[in-house]
Amino acid sequence: MPRVVDHAERRATLAEAAATLIADAGLDAAGLRQVARAGAVTTGAVLHYFDSKEALLDAAYAAVMARLAVRQQSGPALDGLDTAALVAHIASFLPVDDKALRDWRVWLAFSARALVDPRFAAQHRAAYARITAALAADLSELPNAAALADALVALIDGLAIRIMLEPGDWPPARVEAVLMTFVRL
Amino acid sequence: MPRVVDHAERRATLAEAAATLIADAGLDAAGLRQVARAGAVTTGAVLHYFDSKEALLDAAYAAVMARLAVRQQSGPALDGLDTAALVAHIASFLPVDDKALRDWRVWLAFSARALVDPRFAAQHRAAYARITAALAADLSELPNAAALADALVALIDGLAIRIMLEPGDWPPARVEAVLMTFVRL
């Protein structure tokens, strides 16, 4: 079904264009016209793939959250690692390269918007339920797996904000020292 | 010097009016006209106390960050507490009442805006340097006090976001279980 594939691909491409605009300049920079321009299509073409600006933003947010979740689930089981490997693995969840940084910037923009927009709060809630359930499964041999998963997610989110807003102040050694306080549990 | 006091008081009142508007509806809701209306003054009167909208937002952000910092510094020294008292004290940093929730919502709005506005990034950086230095001083009997302070701040920030965006999903027992994973270090 090539047309179905094309449709899904084009939707994904436009959602990524929106995500890049949001990462660069905030949610207000991802209007239909700007996304159309970034995707080298007309506004009408964007509206062929998405019913509304809201649907486009939903798709951009969903794509970013799916990627952040995969990053936290693509490694080995957390409880099978030695301390150094565990710290390195957890550090890899953070905005440590340009692609991850872009996704984390979009995450923060939507997190703030979710305070005043229930649609995005619902998306946040569903994504976090998936992420913490997967981490808790990774840690399931520990008696407090659910609390450890919640703590790890909170620690990563809080660190991500500081790394983004204080570039240059967070060399790998500082990140590792913080993660060591968690890993030594 | 009553006039000086009045001036400072009026500035503080208007900054708080801006903070309330931001907490309720986001940064875009805190324009000069809206703040003037909330403070029952004219836009010209607002501009008498603040040179610009940016100066007003700076003051709102500074007031909120100062209050969040005080909340984290007003308790007993962290290393002098037993486990239950320590968990209760750390939990009190979080958005656990309406006043704290208002400040945390403003914090998240400015954190996202700081991604694209260097003024607010600079304010964030200075406020966090103060907060983590104070926490590290509280923990100074421990060998890794700086890393523990960074970890605690990150954990609190990450938890605050989830508590705000998932109201109803974070009863005190869940918060305490997460903080226990930190306190058991």
Side-chain angles (χ1 to χ4, degrees):
Chain A
M1 300 189 291
R3 294 201 54 195
V4 173
V5 172
D6 286 354
H7 190 85
E9 269 180 16
R10 183 49 82 113
R11 275 178 60 94
T13 301
L14 291 172
E16 290 308 318
T20 298
L21 289 166
I22 295 163
D24 288 347
L27 271 163
D28 293 337
L32 289 173
R33 271 183 303 157
Q34 291 103 313
V35 172
R37 197 180 311 129
V41 298
T42 63
T43 304
V46 176
L47 287 171
H48 173 70
Y49 292 101
F50 296 96
D51 288 340
S52 62
K53 178 183 168 182
E54 286 66 38
L56 172 61
L57 292 180
D58 277 355
Y61 189 24
V64 163
M65 290 308 293
R67 214 150 37 224
L68 289 174
V70 164
R71 204 169 278 126
Q72 300 196 19
Q73 289 156 26
S74 58
L78 291 177
D79 63 354
L81 299 179
D82 66 31
T83 302
L86 184 51
V87 165
H89 177 57
I90 297 173
S92 75
F93 304 165
L94 290 163
V96 286
D97 58 49
D98 286 349
K99 278 191 174 176
L101 177 59
R102 192 198 73 148
D103 285 343
W104 276 105
R105 289 173 65 94
V106 175
W107 166 80
L108 184 50
F110 276 109
S111 296
R113 184 63 62 93
L115 286 175
V116 293
D117 189 327
R119 294 165 59 96
F120 299 132
Q123 263 193 271
H124 158 96
R125 188 166 176 265
Y128 273 71
R130 284 193 299 273
I131 289 170
T132 51
L135 276 176
D138 270 349
L139 298 165
S140 61
E141 288 183 22
L142 299 170
N144 55 345
L148 282 171
D150 281 342
L152 182 53
V153 167
L155 183 68
I156 291 290
D157 287 353
L159 275 180
I161 291 176
R162 298 201 64 193
I163 290 169
M164 287 191 280
L165 295 186
E166 302 162 35
D169 288 355
W170 287 86
R174 185 177 182 189
V175 173
E176 282 162 23
V178 175
L179 296 181
M180 275 299 292
T181 70
F182 180 81
V183 166
R184 289 190 315 102
L185 295 178
Chain B
M1 300 188 294
R3 292 202 55 195
V4 174
V5 173
D6 286 353
H7 189 86
E9 268 179 18
R10 184 49 82 110
R11 275 179 60 92
T13 301
L14 291 171
E16 290 308 319
T20 298
L21 289 166
I22 294 164
D24 287 348
L27 271 162
D28 294 337
L32 288 174
R33 270 184 303 158
Q34 291 103 315
V35 172
R37 198 180 309 130
V41 298
T42 63
T43 304
V46 175
L47 286 170
H48 173 71
Y49 293 102
F50 296 97
D51 289 340
S52 61
K53 178 183 168 180
E54 286 67 35
L56 172 61
L57 293 180
D58 278 354
Y61 190 25
V64 163
M65 290 309 292
R67 215 153 34 225
L68 289 173
V70 164
R71 204 168 278 127
Q72 300 195 18
Q73 288 155 29
S74 59
L78 291 177
D79 61 355
L81 299 179
D82 66 30
T83 302
L86 185 51
V87 164
H89 178 57
I90 297 173
S92 75
F93 304 165
L94 290 163
V96 287
D97 58 48
D98 286 349
K99 279 191 175 177
L101 176 59
R102 194 200 70 150
D103 285 342
W104 276 104
R105 288 173 66 94
V106 175
W107 165 82
L108 183 49
F110 275 110
S111 296
R113 185 61 64 91
L115 287 175
V116 294
D117 189 326
R119 295 164 59 96
F120 299 131
Q123 263 193 272
H124 158 97
R125 187 166 176 267
Y128 273 71
R130 285 193 299 273
I131 289 170
T132 51
L135 276 175
D138 270 351
L139 298 164
S140 61
E141 288 183 22
L142 300 170
N144 55 345
L148 282 171
D150 281 343
L152 182 53
V153 168
L155 184 68
I156 292 290
D157 287 353
L159 275 180
I161 292 175
R162 298 200 65 192
I163 290 168
M164 287 190 281
L165 296 186
E166 301 161 34
D169 288 355
W170 288 87
R174 185 177 182 189
V175 173
E176 282 161 24
V178 175
L179 296 181
M180 275 299 293
T181 70
F182 179 81
V183 166
R184 288 190 315 102
L185 294 176

